[in-house]
Amino acid sequence: ETGVTQTPRHLVMGMTNKKSLKCEQHLGHNAMYWYKQSAKKPLELMFVYNFKEQTENNSVPSRFSPECPNSSHLFLHLHTLQPEDSALYLCASSQSGGRETQYFGPGTRLLVL
Amino acid sequence: DQQVKQNSPSLSVQEGRISILNCDYTNSMFDYFLWYKKYPAEGPTFLISISSIKDKNEDGRFTVFLNKSAKHLSLHIVPSQPGDSAVYFCAAKIRGGSEKLVFGKGTKLTVNP
């Protein structure tokens, strides 16, 4: 596998379910990101991790819980979501340093019923 | 308030002609700008970038122009090809080493054969 992979690619869950999204990067990067893309809205940054430490939380509700066990893996734990949380969730990675390009995974299309 | 704006949600051009995608920004602290391309069911892929110390950057058929005084950048694709049909996102980075990318809503480009 090369690049940034995300699983699952599609997820349907009820509001009482707990699920997790997984992201893995094979690029040797040390920064990882979660973005949300809702219909007709710009990509919204959710979280940033640098060397496994969370450096940014963009006012994300606590029903989204990120986890970064190492520089190659990033999880987004979901619980008690709302229908308006239905969106495309994208993971990205980059080298830290301020100007490095971010590389994106294919995304997980989430539908909350 | 959106800091990065792509005011044209869609653009249609003929194969072989020039495509011009526009982007405006409001935050004068941005010092690095990127264009990403996104096909359906895939994550955004990096296309080209420009630093605020430059006013033009060229890579093959793709050229990005930056007008700092107008807080405007544009992406030129020439000649346009049907395979260029995708959604193009403009993004900007905040000065100071932050990893945060701020995205526009995107412009859907259709290149007709």
Side-chain angles (χ1 to χ4, degrees):
Chain A
E1 289 270 23
T2 58
V4 181
T5 57
Q6 289 186 244
T7 54
R9 294 292 309 274
H10 300 272
L11 179 62
V12 180
M13 59 187 289
M15 290 189 284
T16 57
N17 291 158
K18 288 185 181 182
K19 297 286 184 184
S20 295
L21 310 185
K22 179 183 176 183
C23 175
E24 185 173 0
Q25 59 96 1
H26 310 267
L27 300 168
H29 291 159
N30 45 42
M32 295 188 79
Y33 313 78
W34 279 117
Y35 285 89
K36 174 183 178 182
Q37 187 180 22
S38 304
K40 299 182 180 177
K41 286 188 176 181
L43 270 77
E44 300 171 66
L45 179 67
M46 300 174 74
F47 302 102
V48 180
Y49 276 83
N50 252 306
F51 295 97
K52 303 187 297 176
E53 299 297 321
Q54 188 181 124
T55 56
E56 186 130 7
N57 176 336
N58 207 25
S59 303
V60 181
S62 59
R63 57 186 184 270
F64 295 92
S65 174
E67 179 190 1
C68 189
N70 54 61
S71 293
S72 299
H73 294 85
L74 184 64
F75 295 89
L76 187 63
H77 304 298
L78 316 171
H79 64 100
T80 59
L81 294 193
Q82 305 297 313
E84 59 264 29
D85 297 321
S86 299
L88 179 68
Y89 289 85
L90 290 158
C91 173
S93 72
S94 72
Q95 284 290 96
S96 293
R99 291 190 175 184
E100 296 297 327
T101 301
Q102 294 180 20
Y103 293 84
F104 285 82
T108 295
R109 176 69 65 183
L110 174 67
L111 177 62
V112 181
L113 301 175
Chain B
D1 186 35
Q2 267 195 274
Q3 297 185 70
V4 177
K5 299 178 184 179
Q6 292 177 258
N7 292 319
S8 298
S10 62
L11 174 68
S12 184
V13 300
Q14 208 62 32
E15 181 178 6
R17 306 294 288 269
I18 184 171
S19 296
I20 300 176
L21 298 123
N22 293 303
C23 178
D24 296 294
Y25 62 96
T26 57
N27 191 337
S28 58
M29 296 296 286
F30 289 141
D31 71 343
Y32 196 61
F33 304 88
L34 307 92
W35 284 95
Y36 282 81
K37 178 168 76 171
K38 185 180 185 301
Y39 293 117
E42 294 183 14
T45 56
F46 170 73
L47 196 55
I48 192 169
S49 62
I50 188 167
S51 164
S52 60
I53 62 173
K54 295 186 175 182
D55 54 19
K56 177 183 175 181
N57 188 26
E58 192 172 350
D59 184 3
R61 297 185 296 114
F62 302 91
T63 303
V64 56
F65 295 91
L66 176 62
N67 181 335
K68 288 189 293 293
S69 61
K71 294 191 178 69
H72 177 82
L73 64 155
S74 60
L75 174 67
H76 292 211
I77 306 172
V78 54
S80 301
Q81 300 173 355
D84 297 328
S85 297
V87 178
Y88 289 78
F89 292 98
C90 171
K93 273 200 140 170
I94 297 172
R95 192 174 293 159
S98 168
E99 307 296 340
K100 183 174 181 176
L101 271 179
V102 181
F103 283 85
K105 288 185 179 181
T107 297
K108 183 177 181 180
L109 173 67
T110 303
V111 180
N112 301 303

